[in-house]
Structures are given as structure tokens and as C-alpha cells.
Amino acid sequence: MNDFKETVTGDELVYHGHILDVHHQTVELPNGQAAYRDIVKHHGAVAILALLDENHAFFVRQWRAPLEHETVEIPAGKIDPNETDPLAVAKRELNEEIGYAANSWRLLSRFYSSPGFATEKMHLYLATDLQELPHKRALDPDEFLEVKVLTLKQIQSFLRQSDFIDAKTLLAVKYWEQLQHDEVSHEA
Amino acid sequence: MNDFKETVTGDELVYHGHILDVHHQTVELPNGQAAYRDIVKHHGAVAILALLDENHAFFVRQWRAPLEHETVEIPAGKIDPNETDPLAVAKRELNEEIGYAANSWRLLSRFYSSPGFATEKMHLYLATDLQELPHKRALDPDEFLEVKVLTLKQIQSFLRQSDFIDAKTLLAVKYWEQLQHDEVSHEA
């Protein structure tokens, strides 16, 4: 089933950045012709649907340079090049951004954010049975954010109105809606 | 509410590619310190949940260079720099990739794929009341794909098993699940 495979015939690192590298590749297409591919290499990220209870979750308000605007997103963070365990990264980010630990963790999904040009893989977790930590880890020095607790109705209303929503937060809210629906079904 | 605003103090185009540009910015943080931001500028994209009927949708199997692997995704395509109407792009992509037109179009959501480093905004549409076209537009010369019609159960099973799933397809399937659930509720 690899009949669409493209063979890489040239690969040039055209930009080495702090959180990403950019490669310009020459590939051989299935029909033998040549084509070019711009690829953004990124070490991946984690995101957390952290439920205080079935109707309250944590969100963070922060500035996003690419959008030149603030966003409200679920807690998330990059996986560093030396890190191999996404769950450990998720635990650290929940500590750093929110100041909480969770006794229960579940992987909801793993997905590529933008498979047409980027290698970034997102690991989306559900964290429940939360505990506030007496000593929170410090944020990165270039990170500024406000922690928000919102109900499902409040974030649904925000997602309907805002022009600055992101894929992982939208997806997390869909999972939250299903969790609530499943609970109602169980009770019925 | 712009208290986290970062002011751009320097902006260098470090890579000008075919489908994206990369900028290295220097910003002033809210506390007056300087920081660096790598930003991938992308013109945005469209994706289409195209339902043949309530239980069958179109997907495309294709090679994705960043993942070095095949994927199964909903039909999608880039917005070209000269294009201003995402719906027109969605109509063109449904024609090019699938060979269909749709009489009914609805915007399901607009979201940023990866707001930490990329400007890409995705416009996700629901297309129904589909009609096969007698004359399909040609694919781009570097594009190879196989059109697949899958049931909701088939794509759900694929998403559970595959390591190569993407955000927009996962989200589209969540919308599809909700549409089916709403219909069942209406009938009940």
C-alpha cells in the first residue's frame, strides 16, 4: 500500500531555529517526476483536558505571536528534543501552567497538527482527580499566562464567538461533550 | 485584555518557500525583556467533510512528506495567496480531489492548526447533497491520491488503529458523530 511513496532525493536544512527546523527536500514522485517539499520539523507537543469536576476545566489565556493576538486554549507545551515520554511532559506542563497534579491520566488521542507541512505530533490527555500543588514549578522565562476555570457552556460559547480558536482546544471540548453525554447515558 | 501583548521589535524573513515563509522575530515581552519567536507563515487551508449520505463520507489516501508515510484524511487543500474566499477553495478542492460538487455547504469551524508556531488557519466545511461531475478538474501535477468512501464505523476503526491521523480529520469525524446523534435524537 506504499504506491504513493515519495523518495527523498535531496534534503537541505534551510533554517535551524529554537523550536523548529525547516528542511527543503527534493523528492521523486510515484510517476518518476521531481517535486519540492518544505518541511517544518518540530519535536511534538502535549495538551491536557484537565477537569476539576465534570463541568469545570482549566484553560490558559496567553499571547500567540503567529496570530498577533491572545487565545484561550487548554494547557499545552512542547516536547523538548531530549524528552521521550509525552505523559511526563504533560505532567510537567500541568504543574507549570496550572499548579496542579492529576491522579488519573488517559490518552484521548495522538494526531498530527498539520501533516501537509509539519511533523508536529500532538498528544492529547484527559487529566482528572486533580490536586493543587503546594509548590508550583516556574513558567519558562518568556511565558506569560492567566489560568482560567471555565464550564463546558462557557467554553462552548467562547468557541462560537472567537476568531482565535485552535484545533486541540476544539477537539478537547468535543471529547468533553462526549464524556458528559456518556455520563448522562449511564445515569439514564 | 491585551496585557500579555508582545511587541515585535525585529522581523527577519529567514526562509521563503513555495507554500510557507519562515520569520525570525524579536519581541518585547510584557515585562520588558526580549525574546525570540520562530513563525511559519502559511496562507491557510480548507477541509471538507463531504457526506454522500448520512453514513458515507469521502476520504483521500495520500503520501505526506513530513510524516514519511501515507495518511487517510478528509479532502483538503491550501488557500493560494491570491484567493480570498475559503468556500470557493473548498468547492475547487472537492472537484479536484473527489470529482464532486455539493449543493449544500456549511462552515463547521475555523481554527488555527498550531498557534504556537504557525499562522495556518483551517476552514472546515460540511458538504452535502453531492453530485458527481462529468468533467473533474485535474489534480496538481505533484499530487497523487486515492479516493475512498468510508462509513462512520470504518473511519472510527481506522482512527483507533492508525498512528498517522491528523487534527482536521479527527475533528470532522467528531462533527459527523454529533450529526448522527442529533438525527437519532430528532427521530426519537
Side-chain angles (χ1 to χ4, degrees):
Chain A
M1 290 290 280
N2 272 337
D3 46 329
F4 294 144
K5 185 178 164 74
E6 297 174 359
T7 306
V8 178
T9 53
D11 187 323
E12 186 191 356
L13 174 69
V14 290
Y15 178 64
H16 173 57
H18 183 56
I19 62 163
L20 54 85
D21 285 344
V22 184
H23 289 248
H24 181 70
Q25 288 186 347
T26 314
V27 300
E28 187 185 307
L29 297 171
N31 65 359
Q33 300 290 305
Y36 301 101
R37 303 289 180 225
D38 289 332
I39 296 175
V40 176
K41 297 210 175 183
H42 184 287
H43 292 287
V46 300
I48 308 136
L49 174 60
L51 295 181
L52 256 178
D53 58 49
E54 67 187 35
N55 201 35
H56 293 86
F58 281 113
F59 294 87
V60 294
R61 180 171 70 86
Q62 67 194 308
W63 188 260
R64 288 301 202 178
L67 284 49
E68 301 175 72
H69 205 277
E70 287 188 358
T71 61
V72 172
E73 301 173 35
I74 58 171
K78 291 183 294 291
I79 299 173
D80 290 332
N82 62 331
E83 291 177 310
T84 54
D85 178 10
L87 178 58
V89 179
K91 289 178 178 177
R92 185 193 66 213
E93 290 294 336
L94 190 65
N95 179 335
E96 276 182 18
E97 294 200 343
I98 312 294
Y100 274 71
N103 292 311
S104 171
W105 287 89
R106 178 152 72 90
L107 182 67
L108 292 173
S109 60
R110 289 179 301 181
F111 54 87
Y112 289 92
S113 303
S114 205
F117 68 88
T119 64
E120 187 194 30
K121 189 170 198 173
M122 177 66 71
H123 305 254
L124 174 62
Y125 291 95
L126 172 67
T128 52
D129 194 359
L130 303 185
Q131 281 189 308
E132 191 165 6
L133 294 164
H135 301 287
K136 179 185 166 302
R137 288 170 61 109
L139 290 169
D140 291 337
D142 64 350
E143 206 173 12
F144 296 83
L145 57 81
E146 180 199 9
V147 176
K148 294 171 87 81
V149 174
L150 299 176
T151 65
L152 180 55
K153 273 202 162 44
Q154 285 174 323
I155 188 68
Q156 285 170 328
S157 165
F158 174 81
L159 294 177
R160 272 194 298 273
Q161 289 164 34
S162 174
D163 280 332
F164 297 92
I165 64 184
D166 74 293
K168 68 180 178 303
T169 302
L170 202 50
L171 199 50
V173 170
K174 294 279 174 217
Y175 278 106
W176 192 7
E177 290 168 356
Q178 285 188 328
L179 286 171
Q180 283 218 344
H181 174 257
D182 292 350
E183 266 178 37
V184 171
S185 301
H186 274 287
E187 285 165 14
Chain B
M1 292 289 282
N2 272 335
D3 46 331
F4 294 144
K5 185 178 165 75
E6 297 174 359
T7 306
V8 178
T9 54
D11 187 324
E12 185 191 357
L13 175 68
V14 289
Y15 178 65
H16 173 58
H18 184 55
I19 63 162
L20 53 85
D21 285 345
V22 184
H23 289 248
H24 182 70
Q25 289 187 347
T26 314
V27 301
E28 186 184 307
L29 298 171
N31 65 359
Q33 301 289 306
Y36 301 100
R37 302 289 182 225
D38 288 332
I39 296 174
V40 175
K41 297 210 176 183
H42 184 287
H43 291 287
V46 301
I48 308 137
L49 173 60
L51 294 180
L52 256 178
D53 59 47
E54 66 188 37
N55 201 35
H56 293 86
F58 281 113
F59 295 86
V60 295
R61 181 171 69 87
Q62 68 193 306
W63 187 261
R64 287 302 200 176
L67 283 49
E68 299 174 74
H69 205 275
E70 288 187 357
T71 60
V72 172
E73 301 172 35
I74 57 171
K78 290 182 294 292
I79 300 174
D80 289 332
N82 62 331
E83 293 176 308
T84 53
D85 179 10
L87 178 57
V89 179
K91 289 178 177 176
R92 185 193 65 213
E93 290 293 337
L94 190 65
N95 179 336
E96 278 183 17
E97 296 201 341
I98 312 292
Y100 274 71
N103 292 313
S104 171
W105 287 88
R106 179 153 72 88
L107 182 68
L108 292 173
S109 60
R110 289 179 300 182
F111 54 87
Y112 289 92
S113 302
S114 205
F117 68 87
T119 63
E120 187 194 29
K121 191 171 195 171
M122 177 66 72
H123 305 253
L124 174 62
Y125 291 95
L126 172 67
T128 53
D129 195 358
L130 303 186
Q131 282 189 309
E132 192 165 5
L133 293 164
H135 302 288
K136 179 187 165 302
R137 290 170 61 111
L139 290 170
D140 292 337
D142 65 351
E143 206 173 10
F144 296 82
L145 56 83
E146 180 199 9
V147 175
K148 295 172 87 79
V149 174
L150 299 175
T151 65
L152 181 55
K153 273 203 165 42
Q154 285 173 325
I155 187 68
Q156 285 169 329
S157 166
F158 174 81
L159 294 178
R160 272 193 300 271
Q161 289 164 36
S162 174
D163 279 333
F164 298 92
I165 62 183
D166 74 293
K168 66 179 180 304
T169 301
L170 200 51
L171 201 49
V173 170
K174 295 275 171 218
Y175 279 105
W176 193 5
E177 290 169 354
Q178 286 188 328
L179 286 170
Q180 282 218 345
H181 175 257
D182 292 349
E183 266 178 39
V184 172
S185 301
H186 274 290
E187 284 166 13

mmCIF file of all heavy atoms in Angstrom, chain A residues 51-76:
data_model
loop_
_atom_site.group_PDB
_atom_site.id
_atom_site.type_symbol
_atom_site.label_atom_id
_atom_site.label_comp_id
_atom_site.label_asym_id
_atom_site.label_seq_id
_atom_site.Cartn_x
_atom_site.Cartn_y
_atom_site.Cartn_z
ATOM 1 N N LEU A 51 -9.846 18.300 34.009
ATOM 2 C CA LEU A 51 -11.189 18.523 34.567
ATOM 3 C C LEU A 51 -11.124 18.603 36.095
ATOM 4 O O LEU A 51 -10.729 17.645 36.760
ATOM 5 C CB LEU A 51 -12.118 17.384 34.155
ATOM 6 C CG LEU A 51 -12.448 17.234 32.667
ATOM 7 C CD1 LEU A 51 -13.417 16.068 32.452
ATOM 8 C CD2 LEU A 51 -13.053 18.521 32.108
ATOM 9 N N LEU A 52 -11.530 19.762 36.620
ATOM 10 C CA LEU A 52 -11.628 19.931 38.074
ATOM 11 C C LEU A 52 -12.794 19.085 38.599
ATOM 12 O O LEU A 52 -12.718 18.484 39.658
ATOM 13 C CB LEU A 52 -11.900 21.399 38.397
ATOM 14 C CG LEU A 52 -10.744 22.214 38.927
ATOM 15 C CD1 LEU A 52 -11.180 23.653 39.134
ATOM 16 C CD2 LEU A 52 -10.190 21.625 40.220
ATOM 17 N N ASP A 53 -13.887 19.103 37.844
ATOM 18 C CA ASP A 53 -15.006 18.194 38.054
ATOM 19 C C ASP A 53 -15.662 18.039 36.697
ATOM 20 O O ASP A 53 -15.170 18.584 35.714
ATOM 21 C CB ASP A 53 -15.983 18.710 39.134
ATOM 22 C CG ASP A 53 -16.552 20.082 38.785
ATOM 23 O OD1 ASP A 53 -17.021 20.262 37.628
ATOM 24 O OD2 ASP A 53 -16.533 20.983 39.630
ATOM 25 N N GLU A 54 -16.770 17.320 36.597
ATOM 26 C CA GLU A 54 -17.298 17.014 35.263
ATOM 27 C C GLU A 54 -17.707 18.267 34.476
ATOM 28 O O GLU A 54 -17.826 18.207 33.264
ATOM 29 C CB GLU A 54 -18.462 16.013 35.346
ATOM 30 C CG GLU A 54 -19.705 16.577 36.022
ATOM 31 C CD GLU A 54 -20.761 15.496 36.226
ATOM 32 O OE1 GLU A 54 -20.382 14.344 36.489
ATOM 33 O OE2 GLU A 54 -21.954 15.823 36.123
ATOM 34 N N ASN A 55 -17.906 19.379 35.169
ATOM 35 C CA ASN A 55 -18.365 20.585 34.484
ATOM 36 C C ASN A 55 -17.400 21.774 34.558
ATOM 37 O O ASN A 55 -17.770 22.886 34.190
ATOM 38 C CB ASN A 55 -19.750 20.988 35.001
ATOM 39 C CG ASN A 55 -20.482 21.869 34.009
ATOM 40 O OD1 ASN A 55 -20.339 21.681 32.798
ATOM 41 N ND2 ASN A 55 -21.197 22.856 34.510
ATOM 42 N N HIS A 56 -16.162 21.564 35.014
ATOM 43 C CA HIS A 56 -15.182 22.655 35.087
ATOM 44 C C HIS A 56 -13.821 22.156 34.617
ATOM 45 O O HIS A 56 -13.320 21.157 35.137
ATOM 46 C CB HIS A 56 -15.053 23.188 36.521
ATOM 47 C CG HIS A 56 -16.285 23.881 37.011
ATOM 48 N ND1 HIS A 56 -17.333 23.207 37.595
ATOM 49 C CD2 HIS A 56 -16.650 25.185 36.977
ATOM 50 C CE1 HIS A 56 -18.290 24.071 37.915
ATOM 51 N NE2 HIS A 56 -17.907 25.282 37.558
ATOM 52 N N ALA A 57 -13.234 22.911 33.673
ATOM 53 C CA ALA A 57 -11.898 22.552 33.176
ATOM 54 C C ALA A 57 -10.989 23.776 33.205
ATOM 55 O O ALA A 57 -11.458 24.921 33.234
ATOM 56 C CB ALA A 57 -11.985 22.006 31.749
ATOM 57 N N PHE A 58 -9.696 23.505 33.180
ATOM 58 C CA PHE A 58 -8.692 24.570 33.173
ATOM 59 C C PHE A 58 -8.360 25.001 31.751
ATOM 60 O O PHE A 58 -8.211 24.166 30.842
ATOM 61 C CB PHE A 58 -7.387 24.089 33.832
ATOM 62 C CG PHE A 58 -7.438 24.110 35.322
ATOM 63 C CD1 PHE A 58 -7.404 22.917 36.034
ATOM 64 C CD2 PHE A 58 -7.496 25.304 36.016
ATOM 65 C CE1 PHE A 58 -7.433 22.925 37.422
ATOM 66 C CE2 PHE A 58 -7.531 25.318 37.403
ATOM 67 C CZ PHE A 58 -7.500 24.130 38.105
ATOM 68 N N PHE A 59 -8.220 26.315 31.591
ATOM 69 C CA PHE A 59 -7.773 26.898 30.330
ATOM 70 C C PHE A 59 -6.717 27.949 30.633
ATOM 71 O O PHE A 59 -6.602 28.390 31.779
ATOM 72 C CB PHE A 59 -8.959 27.551 29.582
ATOM 73 C CG PHE A 59 -9.971 26.534 29.150
ATOM 74 C CD1 PHE A 59 -10.987 26.141 30.015
ATOM 75 C CD2 PHE A 59 -9.897 25.940 27.903
ATOM 76 C CE1 PHE A 59 -11.911 25.171 29.640
ATOM 77 C CE2 PHE A 59 -10.814 24.975 27.520
ATOM 78 C CZ PHE A 59 -11.822 24.592 28.388
ATOM 79 N N VAL A 60 -5.948 28.300 29.610
ATOM 80 C CA VAL A 60 -4.963 29.367 29.794
ATOM 81 C C VAL A 60 -5.166 30.436 28.724
ATOM 82 O O VAL A 60 -5.404 30.133 27.558
ATOM 83 C CB VAL A 60 -3.506 28.843 29.763
ATOM 84 C CG1 VAL A 60 -3.236 27.925 30.964
ATOM 85 C CG2 VAL A 60 -3.187 28.117 28.486
ATOM 86 N N ARG A 61 -5.088 31.683 29.201
ATOM 87 C CA ARG A 61 -5.148 32.823 28.289
ATOM 88 C C ARG A 61 -3.716 33.286 28.084
ATOM 89 O O ARG A 61 -2.975 33.449 29.066
ATOM 90 C CB ARG A 61 -5.981 33.938 28.919
ATOM 91 C CG ARG A 61 -6.111 35.176 28.066
ATOM 92 C CD ARG A 61 -7.129 36.155 28.655
ATOM 93 N NE ARG A 61 -6.694 36.788 29.874
ATOM 94 C CZ ARG A 61 -5.951 37.905 29.935
ATOM 95 N NH1 ARG A 61 -5.581 38.524 28.823
ATOM 96 N NH2 ARG A 61 -5.573 38.402 31.086
ATOM 97 N N GLN A 62 -3.306 33.447 26.810
ATOM 98 C CA GLN A 62 -1.920 33.818 26.541
ATOM 99 C C GLN A 62 -1.809 34.497 25.177
ATOM 100 O O GLN A 62 -2.723 34.420 24.363
ATOM 101 C CB GLN A 62 -1.020 32.588 26.574
ATOM 102 C CG GLN A 62 -1.300 31.592 25.435
ATOM 103 C CD GLN A 62 -0.658 30.239 25.654
ATOM 104 O OE1 GLN A 62 0.519 30.150 25.907
ATOM 105 N NE2 GLN A 62 -1.455 29.179 25.566
ATOM 106 N N TRP A 63 -0.684 35.159 24.955
ATOM 107 C CA TRP A 63 -0.390 35.793 23.672
ATOM 108 C C TRP A 63 0.186 34.753 22.719
ATOM 109 O O TRP A 63 1.010 33.934 23.128
ATOM 110 C CB TRP A 63 0.615 36.927 23.872
ATOM 111 C CG TRP A 63 0.834 37.754 22.634
ATOM 112 C CD1 TRP A 63 1.878 37.660 21.756
ATOM 113 C CD2 TRP A 63 -0.003 38.790 22.149
ATOM 114 N NE1 TRP A 63 1.728 38.583 20.749
ATOM 115 C CE2 TRP A 63 0.579 39.287 20.969
ATOM 116 C CE3 TRP A 63 -1.207 39.354 22.594
ATOM 117 C CZ2 TRP A 63 0.015 40.323 20.227
ATOM 118 C CZ3 TRP A 63 -1.774 40.385 21.859
ATOM 119 C CH2 TRP A 63 -1.168 40.860 20.689
ATOM 120 N N ARG A 64 -0.260 34.761 21.475
ATOM 121 C CA ARG A 64 0.303 33.874 20.464
ATOM 122 C C ARG A 64 0.901 34.714 19.351
ATOM 123 O O ARG A 64 0.155 35.360 18.584
ATOM 124 C CB ARG A 64 -0.773 32.937 19.913
ATOM 125 C CG ARG A 64 -1.201 31.845 20.894
ATOM 126 C CD ARG A 64 -0.038 30.971 21.307
ATOM 127 N NE ARG A 64 -0.451 29.660 21.803
ATOM 128 C CZ ARG A 64 0.423 28.722 22.183
ATOM 129 N NH1 ARG A 64 1.729 28.951 22.154
ATOM 130 N NH2 ARG A 64 -0.018 27.562 22.626
ATOM 131 N N ALA A 65 2.231 34.705 19.270
ATOM 132 C CA ALA A 65 2.936 35.569 18.315
ATOM 133 C C ALA A 65 2.474 35.358 16.872
ATOM 134 O O ALA A 65 2.258 36.331 16.141
ATOM 135 C CB ALA A 65 4.445 35.373 18.440
ATOM 136 N N PRO A 66 2.308 34.099 16.391
ATOM 137 C CA PRO A 66 1.923 33.933 14.982
ATOM 138 C C PRO A 66 0.559 34.583 14.678
ATOM 139 O O PRO A 66 0.334 35.057 13.566
ATOM 140 C CB PRO A 66 1.839 32.405 14.810
ATOM 141 C CG PRO A 66 2.735 31.850 15.874
ATOM 142 C CD PRO A 66 2.561 32.786 17.036
ATOM 143 N N LEU A 67 -0.354 34.590 15.664
ATOM 144 C CA LEU A 67 -1.696 35.135 15.456
ATOM 145 C C LEU A 67 -1.741 36.631 15.781
ATOM 146 O O LEU A 67 -2.744 37.289 15.492
ATOM 147 C CB LEU A 67 -2.713 34.400 16.354
ATOM 148 C CG LEU A 67 -3.162 32.996 15.935
ATOM 149 C CD1 LEU A 67 -2.025 32.061 15.573
ATOM 150 C CD2 LEU A 67 -4.022 32.362 17.013
ATOM 151 N N GLU A 68 -0.680 37.152 16.402
ATOM 152 C CA GLU A 68 -0.641 38.538 16.885
ATOM 153 C C GLU A 68 -1.884 38.834 17.717
ATOM 154 O O GLU A 68 -2.517 39.892 17.583
ATOM 155 C CB GLU A 68 -0.525 39.530 15.716
ATOM 156 C CG GLU A 68 0.730 39.300 14.882
ATOM 157 C CD GLU A 68 0.788 40.197 13.653
ATOM 158 O OE1 GLU A 68 1.012 41.399 13.815
ATOM 159 O OE2 GLU A 68 0.578 39.666 12.533
ATOM 160 N N HIS A 69 -2.250 37.890 18.566
ATOM 161 C CA HIS A 69 -3.492 38.017 19.335
ATOM 162 C C HIS A 69 -3.437 37.065 20.528
ATOM 163 O O HIS A 69 -2.675 36.111 20.529
ATOM 164 C CB HIS A 69 -4.692 37.636 18.446
ATOM 165 C CG HIS A 69 -5.972 38.254 18.886
ATOM 166 N ND1 HIS A 69 -6.764 37.730 19.886
ATOM 167 C CD2 HIS A 69 -6.608 39.382 18.475
ATOM 168 C CE1 HIS A 69 -7.838 38.487 20.048
ATOM 169 N NE2 HIS A 69 -7.765 39.511 19.215
ATOM 170 N N GLU A 70 -4.291 37.338 21.507
ATOM 171 C CA GLU A 70 -4.459 36.411 22.626
ATOM 172 C C GLU A 70 -5.329 35.232 22.215
ATOM 173 O O GLU A 70 -6.175 35.346 21.324
ATOM 174 C CB GLU A 70 -5.159 37.126 23.784
ATOM 175 C CG GLU A 70 -4.265 38.101 24.497
ATOM 176 C CD GLU A 70 -4.942 38.627 25.741
ATOM 177 O OE1 GLU A 70 -6.108 38.250 26.007
ATOM 178 O OE2 GLU A 70 -4.306 39.414 26.443
ATOM 179 N N THR A 71 -5.134 34.114 22.906
ATOM 180 C CA THR A 71 -6.005 32.956 22.725
ATOM 181 C C THR A 71 -6.416 32.430 24.100
ATOM 182 O O THR A 71 -5.803 32.755 25.116
ATOM 183 C CB THR A 71 -5.279 31.805 21.995
ATOM 184 O OG1 THR A 71 -4.154 31.407 22.783
ATOM 185 C CG2 THR A 71 -4.832 32.204 20.604
ATOM 186 N N VAL A 72 -7.459 31.614 24.099
ATOM 187 C CA VAL A 72 -7.815 30.820 25.281
ATOM 188 C C VAL A 72 -7.724 29.366 24.825
ATOM 189 O O VAL A 72 -8.442 28.950 23.909
ATOM 190 C CB VAL A 72 -9.227 31.151 25.792
ATOM 191 C CG1 VAL A 72 -9.648 30.170 26.896
ATOM 192 C CG2 VAL A 72 -9.274 32.581 26.311
ATOM 193 N N GLU A 73 -6.781 28.618 25.401
ATOM 194 C CA GLU A 73 -6.511 27.236 24.992
ATOM 195 C C GLU A 73 -6.452 26.333 26.210
ATOM 196 O O GLU A 73 -6.297 26.809 27.330
ATOM 197 C CB GLU A 73 -5.143 27.160 24.282
ATOM 198 C CG GLU A 73 -5.017 28.025 23.056
ATOM 199 C CD GLU A 73 -3.600 28.054 22.498
ATOM 200 O OE1 GLU A 73 -2.901 27.031 22.562
ATOM 201 O OE2 GLU A 73 -3.182 29.129 22.019
ATOM 202 N N ILE A 74 -6.534 25.029 25.963
ATOM 203 C CA ILE A 74 -6.240 24.108 27.051
ATOM 204 C C ILE A 74 -4.734 24.157 27.334
ATOM 205 O O ILE A 74 -3.946 24.547 26.457
ATOM 206 C CB ILE A 74 -6.702 22.662 26.726
ATOM 207 C CG1 ILE A 74 -6.064 22.130 25.457
ATOM 208 C CG2 ILE A 74 -8.227 22.588 26.655
ATOM 209 C CD1 ILE A 74 -6.314 20.637 25.227
ATOM 210 N N PRO A 75 -4.316 23.782 28.554
ATOM 211 C CA PRO A 75 -2.883 23.769 28.866
ATOM 212 C C PRO A 75 -2.130 22.861 27.882
ATOM 213 O O PRO A 75 -2.633 21.797 27.508
ATOM 214 C CB PRO A 75 -2.826 23.167 30.280
ATOM 215 C CG PRO A 75 -4.198 23.298 30.843
ATOM 216 C CD PRO A 75 -5.146 23.342 29.690
ATOM 217 N N ALA A 76 -0.942 23.285 27.476
ATOM 218 C CA ALA A 76 -0.183 22.549 26.467
ATOM 219 C C ALA A 76 1.272 22.953 26.547
ATOM 220 O O ALA A 76 1.606 23.971 27.164
ATOM 221 C CB ALA A 76 -0.736 22.844 25.074
#
